[in-house]
């Protein structure tokens, strides 16, 4: 119930009037057979009392109108509250996913998470909406009808007619357990299809470049057939429930007709009462037939609730700690001074990095060993290293996308782990190695949907990122839609828009993780001019790059090799040492000459 506790506290009261009106509806529906029986007896009298018959018919019409009004009201409360629950769960799931770190998303595919947000949330909504209404209606309608059959007509006849009812319930319960298992397989198949579609759309260029359309279609066909088979098996169970109910109540009506007609002939039961009895029995058939649907929905809802609980109860590996030193001391941080002291770090077991990042964990190995760096206020730190040396790992730890060990990273003298995530990241501009753009306009991507940023600020950020002229050349300018993940733009344009997104924040700490790799040296120089302007205003900058030309302006450069700092110094100092930095510089110089 932890999944629904917040919803029950806020919206649970809406179910109360819904249930009340539902019980009124069940009572009113049971009046119709009684009135019909009285009309039948009145019509058999030698002298028909037309006034009495007319009053009974008027009551039947008024009852039908009242049932309509009451049924509309309880559906408004119960089914409407189910929609509130749907919105609540989807918001809770999405908010929880926003708190999760990279480790979580490496172990959960996008398609599976889509299935949680769409199918599972909808299944829970149906459980606490239509299924709840159907369940209460079935119990109340059946209970009132059985009491009327036994008390107003004939108890023995009622007992004989309802003999098959327990068998119906037993069959439904047995089929419900199998329904729950098969629905889980349906959800898994849906998740696999969603994941495959998402990957193919995102990787469409690669698929076409390698002429893999037919192979991918074959793989999708396999998943599609698996989903079809899972749904057919699910449909077989659902299809068996309705006929089972019809068969059992066919027996009930047969018993009622045979035994009831003998009672009518014997004079112990009037024809009107017998008609009323069959009316009550018909009322019972409807909710009993709905038992199959109720169990079907409940089985799906229970399976989906279990799946959603498993996700939402997964704790966020990156979260605020109970104590926050900066709040306790009232100290205001400006992220101007960064200290890294003897940092050693390894990724969690069986963890692989994000797509686009080159560093992959080898079990038990450290990605960083004994790294110590001091960035003074207004400092520009450059980081160079071969693929897999730990550069991106260091950037991720500065942004606390992973938790660094305690007392290893300090922001203005405060341990980064003792800062709230908002305190740490709000003044930070981070451009990751894997550039991501939303399927929106260029302006919305730069200001990141923040209405506080004006068009003038967006243009200024674009100018600093050396992308303004390109944007102005587009027919729709800043209103140009970039497409899925920025597919309509070049790699260099995507990089510069991501840089503009970071610069518009006027960050106190700017981290550029290989964010100049897709631009030419002239554009690179323009962007670095803007970065140096931030540095002169007191902001600290961490620049990770592969090109020596991008690092030459740095106040200090550290060279990482297999997670350790092997060289450090200025550009000129490192060239004189003839180490790895000088070797890379020579290689790039030769490539440039060629």
């Amino acid at each position: 119930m932890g999944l629904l506790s917040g919803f029950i506290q806020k919206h649970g009261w809406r179910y109360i009037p819904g249930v009340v009106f539902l019980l009124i509806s069940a009572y009113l529906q049971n009046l119709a057979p009684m009135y019909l029986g009285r009309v039948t007896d009145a019509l058999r009298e030698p002298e028909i009392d037309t006034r009495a018959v007319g009053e009974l018919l008027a009551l039947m019409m008024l009852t039908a109108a009242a049932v309509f009004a009451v049924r509309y009201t309880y559906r408004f409360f119960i089914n409407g509250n189910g929609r509130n629950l749907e919105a609540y769960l989807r918001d809770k799931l999405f908010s929880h996913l926003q708190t999760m770190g990279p480790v979580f998303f490496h172990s959960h595919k996008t398609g599976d998470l889509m299935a949680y947000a769409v199918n599972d949330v909808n299944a829970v909504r149906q459980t606490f909406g239509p299924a709840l209404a159907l369940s209460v209606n079935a119990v109340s309608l059946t209970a009132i009808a059985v009491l009327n059959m036994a008390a107003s007509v004939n108890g023995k006849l009622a007992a004989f007619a309802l003999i098959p009812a327990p068998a119906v319930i037993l069959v439904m319960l047995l089929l419900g357990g199998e329904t729950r298992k098969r629905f889980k397989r349906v959800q898994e198949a849906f998740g696999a299809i969603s994941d495959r579609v998402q990957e193919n759309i995102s990787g469409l260029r690669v698929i076409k470049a390698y002429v893999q359309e037919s192979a991918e279609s074959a793989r999708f066909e396999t998943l599609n057939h698996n989903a079809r088979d899972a749904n057919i098996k699910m449909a077989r169970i659902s299809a068996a429930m309705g006929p089972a109910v019809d068969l059992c109540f066919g027996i009930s009506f047969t018993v009622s007709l045979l035994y009831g007609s003998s009672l009518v002939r014997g004079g112990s039961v009037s024809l009107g009462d017998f008609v009323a009895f069959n009316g009550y029995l018909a009322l019972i058939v409807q909710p009993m037939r709905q038992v199959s649907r109720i169990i079907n929905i409940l089985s799906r809802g229970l399976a989906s609730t279990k799946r959603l609980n498993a996700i939402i109860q997964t704790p966020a590996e990156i979260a605020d700690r109970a104590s926050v030193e900066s709040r306790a001391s009232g100290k205001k941080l400006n992220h101007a001074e960064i200290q890294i002291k003897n940092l050693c770090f390894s990724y969690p077991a069986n963890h692989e990095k994000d797509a686009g990042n080159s560093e992959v964990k080898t079990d038990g190995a450290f990605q960083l060993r004994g790294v110590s760096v001091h960035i003074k206020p207004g400092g520009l730190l450059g980081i160079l290293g071969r693929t897999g040396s730990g550069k991106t790992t260091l950037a991720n730890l500065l942004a606390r996308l992973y938790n660094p060990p305690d007392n290893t990273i300090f922001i203005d003298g405060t341990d980064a782990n003792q800062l709230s995530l908002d305190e740490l990241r709000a003044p930070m501009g981070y451009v990751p190695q894997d550039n991501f753009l939303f399927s929106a306009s260029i302006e919305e991507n730069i200001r990141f949907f923040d209405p506080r940023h004006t068009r003038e600020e967006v243009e200024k950020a674009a100018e600093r990122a050396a992308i303004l002229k390109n944007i102005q050349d587009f027919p729709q300018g800043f209103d140009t839609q970039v497409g899925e993940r920025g597919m309509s733009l070049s790699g260099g344009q995507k990089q510069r828009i991501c840089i503009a997104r970071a610069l518009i924040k006027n960050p106190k700490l700017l981290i550029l993780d290989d964010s100049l790799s897709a631009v030419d040296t002239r554009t690179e120089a323009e962007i670095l001019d803007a970065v140096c302007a931030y540095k002169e205003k007191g902001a600290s900058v961490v620049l990770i790059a592969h090109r020596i030309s991008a690092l030459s302006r740095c106040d200090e450069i550290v060279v990482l090799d297999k997670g350790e700092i092997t060289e450090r110094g200025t550009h000129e100092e490192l060239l004189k040492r003839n180490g790895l930095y000088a070797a890379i510089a020579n290689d790039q110089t030769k490539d440039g000459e060629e």
Side-chain angles (χ1 to χ4, degrees):
M1 190 57 68
L3 179 67
L4 304 175
S5 58
F7 174 80
I8 296 298
Q9 292 176 3
K10 186 176 181 180
H11 298 286
W13 66 270
R14 295 176 184 269
Y15 286 115
I16 298 175
V19 171
V20 171
F21 280 102
L22 201 154
L23 294 175
I24 295 173
S25 173
Y27 173 77
L28 292 175
Q29 289 180 73
N30 273 273
L31 294 178
M34 179 186 68
Y35 293 146
L36 183 61
R38 292 181 181 178
V39 169
T40 302
D41 285 337
L43 292 175
R44 294 189 70 223
E45 294 293 331
E47 294 183 5
I48 299 176
D49 187 347
T50 55
R51 181 178 179 180
V53 172
E55 289 176 353
L56 288 170
L57 291 176
L59 285 173
M60 290 178 66
M61 294 178 65
L62 288 173
T63 301
V67 168
F68 168 80
V70 173
R71 184 176 292 178
Y72 173 85
T73 305
Y74 84 68
R75 286 182 175 178
F76 171 80
F77 279 105
I78 296 180
N79 292 355
N81 212 30
R83 292 297 180 181
N84 290 332
L85 175 60
E86 180 182 28
Y88 168 83
L89 287 178
R90 194 167 285 132
D91 183 65
K92 186 171 184 178
L93 175 63
F94 185 81
S95 298
H96 181 71
L97 292 178
Q98 295 294 303
T99 68
M100 304 308 290
V103 174
F104 173 85
F105 291 102
H106 288 307
S107 58
H108 294 82
K109 293 185 177 180
T110 302
D112 291 334
L113 296 177
M114 289 294 295
Y116 287 119
V118 178
N119 287 358
D120 286 308
V121 167
N122 184 58
V124 176
R125 188 268 305 173
Q126 289 187 331
T127 299
F128 288 89
L132 176 62
L134 289 173
S135 300
V136 176
N137 182 66
V139 172
S140 58
L141 194 63
T142 301
I144 297 173
V146 170
L147 288 174
N148 286 333
M149 290 165 63
S152 303
V153 184
N154 187 288
K156 191 174 182 180
L157 177 60
F160 274 110
L162 295 176
I163 286 176
V168 173
I169 296 174
L170 179 62
V171 171
M172 295 299 104
L173 291 175
L174 292 175
L175 292 177
E178 185 63 23
T179 298
R180 189 162 52 250
K181 296 177 183 177
R182 297 191 182 189
F183 179 70
K184 183 179 180 181
R185 298 190 189 104
V186 168
Q187 294 292 74
E188 291 171 350
F190 175 82
I193 285 181
S194 299
D195 192 60
R196 176 61 64 180
V197 171
Q198 185 269 336
E199 285 186 347
N200 273 259
I201 292 175
S202 299
L204 187 62
R205 292 178 179 177
V206 177
I207 293 171
K208 288 184 175 296
Y210 285 85
V211 197
Q212 290 295 303
E213 294 93 336
S214 298
E216 287 299 318
S217 294
R219 294 188 186 98
F220 182 80
E221 186 176 2
T222 300
L223 294 176
N224 200 23
H225 286 173
N226 290 340
R228 178 202 61 187
D229 293 341
N231 278 282
I232 288 175
K233 290 178 180 179
M234 179 75 188
R236 286 173 182 167
I237 291 292
S238 301
M241 292 182 174
V245 174
D246 292 338
L247 176 62
C248 293
F249 274 93
I251 296 173
S252 293
F253 275 107
T254 303
V255 172
S256 170
L257 289 172
L258 293 175
Y259 184 59
S261 59
S262 65
L263 294 177
V264 172
R265 287 196 302 270
S268 57
V269 173
S270 70
L271 180 60
D273 287 341
F274 184 59
V275 170
F277 180 89
N278 281 281
Y280 292 131
L281 190 59
L283 282 178
I284 295 175
V285 172
Q286 181 183 359
M288 291 302 292
R289 188 177 287 146
Q290 289 175 341
V291 167
S292 61
R293 184 184 174 195
I294 293 170
I295 293 178
N296 196 349
I297 296 175
L298 289 177
S299 298
R300 296 184 181 195
L302 289 174
S304 294
T305 300
K306 186 176 180 180
R307 282 163 53 88
L308 287 171
N309 258 323
I311 288 292
I312 291 179
Q313 289 180 1
T314 302
E317 64 268 22
I318 312 297
D320 294 339
R321 294 191 176 181
S323 59
V324 179
E325 291 181 5
S326 60
R327 288 177 182 167
S329 62
K331 179 181 179 181
K332 185 176 181 180
L333 302 173
N334 56 24
H335 287 58
E337 184 177 15
I338 313 297
Q339 284 184 295
I340 303 175
K341 298 181 180 179
N342 195 30
L343 172 62
C344 297
F345 177 78
S346 64
Y347 288 108
N350 302 320
H351 174 264
E352 296 180 356
K353 293 295 297 301
D354 289 318
N357 290 359
S358 55
E359 296 138 311
V360 179
K361 182 187 183 309
T362 55
D363 291 339
F366 280 100
Q367 260 58 53
L368 295 171
R369 302 178 189 85
V371 174
S372 296
V373 175
H374 184 200
I375 308 175
K376 296 179 180 179
L380 174 56
L381 173 70
I383 302 177
L384 178 73
R386 299 190 189 278
T387 300
S389 60
K391 306 182 299 299
T392 296
T393 297
L394 184 58
N396 287 338
L397 290 174
L398 284 172
R400 262 191 78 190
L401 298 180
Y402 299 90
N403 280 322
D406 289 339
N407 299 315
T408 56
I409 296 180
F410 295 87
I411 310 294
D412 291 344
T414 302
D415 187 349
N417 288 327
Q418 295 299 327
L419 297 174
S420 71
L421 294 176
D422 286 345
E423 285 176 310
L424 177 69
R425 295 172 181 169
M428 181 184 297
Y430 180 33
V431 184
Q433 191 177 46
D434 182 20
N435 300 295
F436 182 87
L437 295 180
F438 295 90
S439 183
S441 68
I442 293 176
E443 180 178 358
E444 289 171 327
N445 271 283
I446 292 177
R447 62 183 178 86
F448 209 167
F449 309 100
D450 189 343
R452 292 175 297 179
H453 295 306
T454 64
R455 171 61 75 91
E456 183 180 357
E457 291 174 321
V458 171
E459 291 178 354
K460 188 65 176 178
E463 182 181 12
R464 291 170 177 168
I467 188 65
L468 179 60
K469 188 176 185 306
N470 292 117
I471 296 174
Q472 290 174 339
D473 290 339
F474 292 142
Q476 294 179 314
F478 281 91
D479 295 324
T480 301
Q481 298 294 313
V482 302
E484 186 80 17
R485 296 178 65 93
M487 289 184 66
S488 64
L489 303 176
S490 69
Q493 289 170 339
K494 287 193 288 187
Q495 273 192 342
R496 285 176 284 165
I497 289 175
C498 289
I499 292 173
R501 178 194 294 164
L503 296 181
I504 200 172
K505 294 178 63 178
N506 291 315
K508 300 296 184 182
L509 172 61
L510 177 62
I511 303 174
L512 302 176
D513 184 4
D514 198 20
S515 303
L516 304 174
S517 59
V519 300
D520 56 59
T521 52
R522 180 178 178 180
T523 305
E524 175 188 280
E526 293 179 22
I527 296 173
L528 290 175
D529 287 340
V531 169
C532 289
Y534 275 97
K535 182 176 81 74
E536 292 171 1
K537 293 178 181 179
S540 299
V541 182
V542 176
L543 175 62
I544 299 172
H546 285 94
R547 285 207 295 248
I548 298 297
S549 59
L551 299 170
S552 59
R553 305 190 193 188
C554 295
D555 301 319
E556 183 183 26
I557 304 169
V558 296
V559 180
L560 288 174
D561 187 22
K562 297 180 181 179
E564 297 180 297
I565 295 179
T566 57
E567 300 176 54
R568 66 195 318 154
T570 63
H571 172 70
E572 291 76 13
E573 291 171 348
L574 292 176
L575 287 177
K576 293 177 182 178
R577 292 179 185 173
N578 293 321
L580 178 60
Y581 184 88
I584 294 175
N586 289 332
D587 290 341
Q588 292 180 8
T589 301
K590 291 178 182 178
D591 291 340
E593 291 174 353
E594 292 174 1

